[in-house]
Amino acid sequence: MGKITILVVEDEAAIQQLVSYNLIKAGFHVTCADSGEEALECLLREDIDCVLLDLMLPGMSGLEVCEAIRSKNGRQGHHIPIIMLTAKGEEEDVVSGLDYGADDYITKPFSPKVLIARIKAVLRRGFEKTQAEADDDQGVIILDDLEINKGRHEVKLGKELLHLTMTEFGILALLAGKPGWVFTRQQIIDSVRGYDFLITPRAIDVQVFGLRKKLGSSGRMIETVRGVGYRFRSDA
C-alpha cells in the first residue's frame, strides 16, 4: 500500500508550508492547492485520501468547496474525509461546516500533533467502516421504497439515487438498521463519528434535519423522541 495522500487547501503560504512540513514528517504524501478551484481540479487528477480545507479562501469559500466535493458523481467524493481548518470557532461555524459535509473541524492556531492525530482518526474511522461494510452479510436494508446499500455506500429512494454526506448516511443506516429502536444523540455521535470526535448534539439535530429534507416524504419515518433522541418507525 502506498503513502496516504493529503490535499492541503490553504491560501496562506506560511500555514500551508507549516502544515505540509508536519504531514510529510509524519509519513504522509502531500499535495497543496491555493484556492478551491485548484483543489477541485486536483481531485480530478489525483487519488486523494483526505482533504484539509481552509474555510476562508479566495474565490470559492471552503464551505462551497466542501459542498462541491460531496456533490460529485460517484462514490469517491462522498468517501473522502474532509477536515476544516479555520480561525472561526463559534458553534454556528462548526455546525455549518459539518452540515456541508465536513468530517472534523480544527480551529487555528492548532497543535501539529493534534492535527496529525485527528487526520489519523478520520482515516481510521473510514477504514473501519469500509471493512465493517465488507464483512456485513446484511449489507442491504430495504424499507418500502428506500434501499440502503452499506457496501456501496448508496441510498436509493425508488429509482432515484440520493446524494448523502458520510454523516447523513451513517445516521440513516444506524436508524433504519433497527426500526423502532430509539438511539440517543450521544449513541448516534459515537456510532457515526467515533468516540474521539468532539461534536455537539445540536450538530446531530442539524444533520437529521438535512437528512429528512433529502428523503422527502419518507423523511417522516425518522421520528424525534422528545428528551431522548431519534428512531426509525417500525411500521415502515
Side-chain angles (χ1 to χ4, degrees), residues 30-234:
V30 177
T31 295
C32 295
D34 300 322
S35 67
E37 291 82 356
E38 184 180 350
L40 295 178
E41 291 177 3
C42 181
L43 285 167
L44 294 176
R45 299 192 311 265
E46 301 184 42
D47 291 326
I48 302 298
D49 299 295
C50 182
V51 179
L52 298 184
L53 180 61
D54 185 31
L55 188 62
M56 304 295 288
L57 293 169
M60 294 180 70
S61 70
L63 292 179
E64 291 173 326
V65 175
C66 186
E67 185 178 37
I69 294 173
R70 291 297 184 233
S71 65
K72 290 290 184 184
N73 292 327
R75 298 196 299 277
Q76 184 186 20
H78 298 292
H79 278 298
I80 297 176
I82 299 175
I83 299 177
M84 289 283 192
L85 293 178
T86 179
K88 291 188 174 182
E90 298 297 326
E91 184 179 84
E92 291 77 9
D93 298 314
V94 175
V95 171
S96 294
L98 297 174
D99 193 31
Y100 273 79
D103 296 281
D104 204 344
Y105 204 104
I106 301 178
T107 56
K108 303 173 184 176
F110 52 84
S111 161
K113 290 184 178 180
V114 171
L115 174 62
I116 298 300
R118 299 289 273 272
I119 291 173
K120 290 180 178 179
V122 296
L123 290 171
R124 183 174 65 251
R125 287 195 295 271
F127 292 147
E128 288 173 352
K129 282 185 178 182
T130 300
Q131 186 61 50
E133 289 166 358
D135 294 339
D136 190 357
D137 292 330
Q138 303 295 325
V140 179
I141 301 172
I142 299 177
L143 296 168
D144 287 346
D145 293 335
L146 191 65
E147 179 180 319
I148 306 167
N149 191 312
K150 296 169 70 176
R152 294 184 176 182
H153 210 273
E154 291 180 349
V155 176
K156 290 183 179 179
L157 185 59
K159 295 183 179 180
E160 180 184 1
L161 181 64
L162 302 183
H163 296 293
L164 306 183
T165 66
M166 291 179 67
T167 304
E168 290 170 344
F169 181 88
I171 292 173
L172 180 60
L174 177 67
L175 298 180
K178 290 186 177 181
W181 190 283
V182 179
F183 290 90
T184 67
R185 289 172 176 81
Q186 188 58 51
Q187 286 175 321
I188 295 173
I189 292 170
D190 294 342
S191 176
V192 303
R193 291 292 188 180
Y195 293 96
D196 55 350
F197 189 89
L198 300 177
I199 180 174
T200 65
R202 163 64 178 158
I204 290 296
D205 294 337
V206 171
Q207 296 287 344
V208 170
F209 177 79
L211 177 58
R212 282 171 169 158
K213 286 179 61 178
K214 291 182 180 181
L215 290 173
S217 60
S218 295
R220 69 181 186 279
M221 305 308 295
I222 299 178
E223 297 182 328
T224 301
V225 181
R226 287 187 178 277
V228 183
Y230 296 97
R231 69 182 172 197
F232 203 90
R233 280 173 51 180
S234 58

